[in-house]
Amino acid sequence: MAEKEDGGLVFHPMDQFIVKPLFGDGPVGVLTITNSTLWMALTVLAVIALLVLGTRSRAIVPTRSQSVAELAYGFVYQMVEDITGKDGVKYFPYIMTLFMFILFSNYLGLLPMAFTPTSHIAVTAVLAVAVFLAVTVLGFVKNGASFLSLFWVSSAPLALRPILALIEVISYFVRPVSHSIRLAGNMMAGHAVIKVFAAFAAVVAISPLSILAITAMYGLEMLVAGIQAYVFTILTCVYLKDALHPHH
């Protein structure tokens, strides 16, 4: 919100990312119901409404909601199969859940007065670490000690292999960091820019340009919201492929 202060325009574009208690004004604890909690719950309900309630009729001639649900299902299923192969299809439900949660969270966050959980590293880090731990455990369960061959570049000259192995290990453990920061950073940056342009809308002289900029940024954010859900999901598939087929 923009405010007049000492004759100037003051606005706080980062205030929209503050996690606040939904009831009362006390400190935020582990069990406190917050605005973030509310919008994550609404995201889950929206996903259920589309994938469960929207497809309950299973009509031969699908309704609009059933068509959207089937398109999303087919899109993610094909992605999983293409990247991980037939072995990875059994993990499709988890990947589908990730994709739909991030997608709906991103788009619901574009509603006026909404909160975007995926703009917080605390949320995206949990999703990324869960993927990292799951594929790492799966890699050792499926391949045993041979999973470590993922870090040994056998096609490289022998003298370079130890150095490359160290680089591969570091790169592997950086995965959850890049996986989570990419999503949170993109969502936060776009929302902050929109808020900045919205503040300038209060200045009569430049309000038409500000509104035009808001419209353009909002359209870009609609695109980014979908792309970031796709990027997070496709990277999850790539990591799953490494766990299933470390020799490839």
Side-chain angles (χ1 to χ4, degrees):
M1 179 180 293
E3 300 173 352
K4 292 286 186 178
E5 195 172 287
D6 297 330
L9 186 67
V10 178
F11 52 92
H12 309 281
M14 304 306 288
D15 283 359
Q16 61 184 308
F17 305 114
I18 297 175
V19 177
K20 303 174 183 177
L22 204 58
F23 307 104
D25 298 317
V28 175
V30 176
L31 300 178
T32 304
I33 299 176
T34 64
N35 50 352
S36 180
T37 309
L38 171 64
W39 283 95
M40 282 192 283
L42 291 175
T43 298
V44 173
L45 291 176
V47 173
I48 292 173
L50 176 64
L51 297 183
V52 178
L53 301 180
T55 61
R56 66 185 184 278
S57 62
R58 294 180 177 84
I60 297 176
V61 180
T63 60
R64 290 180 182 177
S65 59
Q66 183 179 333
S67 295
V68 173
E70 289 177 354
L71 282 172
Y73 183 99
F75 174 75
V76 178
Y77 187 92
Q78 191 65 45
M79 184 196 310
V80 174
E81 187 177 39
D82 288 346
I83 297 174
T84 66
K86 294 293 184 181
D87 294 343
V89 170
K90 66 176 72 173
Y91 307 103
F92 163 76
Y94 176 64
I95 297 174
M96 179 68 176
T97 302
L98 271 179
F99 175 77
M100 296 305 294
F101 177 82
I102 295 171
L103 185 71
F104 272 79
S105 180
N106 290 353
Y107 279 119
L108 288 177
L110 291 172
L111 296 175
M113 306 304 292
F115 184 87
T116 312
T118 46
S119 66
H120 273 259
I121 193 68
V123 175
T124 59
V126 169
L127 298 176
V129 170
V131 170
F132 176 78
L133 292 177
V135 298
T136 302
V137 171
L138 180 64
F140 281 107
V141 170
K142 285 283 187 181
N143 305 283
S146 64
F147 177 62
L148 296 175
S149 64
L150 178 66
F151 310 111
W152 191 253
V153 185
S154 56
S155 59
L158 185 60
L160 292 177
R161 290 178 194 178
I163 299 174
L164 293 176
L166 179 61
I167 294 173
E168 288 293 329
V169 169
I170 295 172
S171 175
Y172 187 84
F173 282 96
V174 168
R175 282 180 176 183
V177 178
S178 61
H179 207 187
S180 57
I181 290 178
R182 181 185 293 105
L183 175 57
N186 277 282
M187 299 313 299
M188 180 181 287
H191 284 61
V193 171
I194 290 175
K195 193 69 175 283
V196 169
F197 284 135
F200 283 112
V203 182
V204 177
I206 60 172
S207 59
L209 291 176
S210 177
I211 293 171
L212 188 63
I214 293 170
T215 304
M217 277 302 304
Y218 198 87
L220 179 62
E221 277 300 287
M222 291 285 288
L223 182 63
V224 169
I227 289 175
Q228 288 306 311
Y230 171 76
V231 168
F232 193 98
T233 308
I234 202 168
L235 285 175
T236 301
C237 291
V238 171
Y239 300 158
L240 177 60
K241 177 189 176 184
D242 288 342
L244 296 173
H245 313 289
H247 306 290
H248 288 189

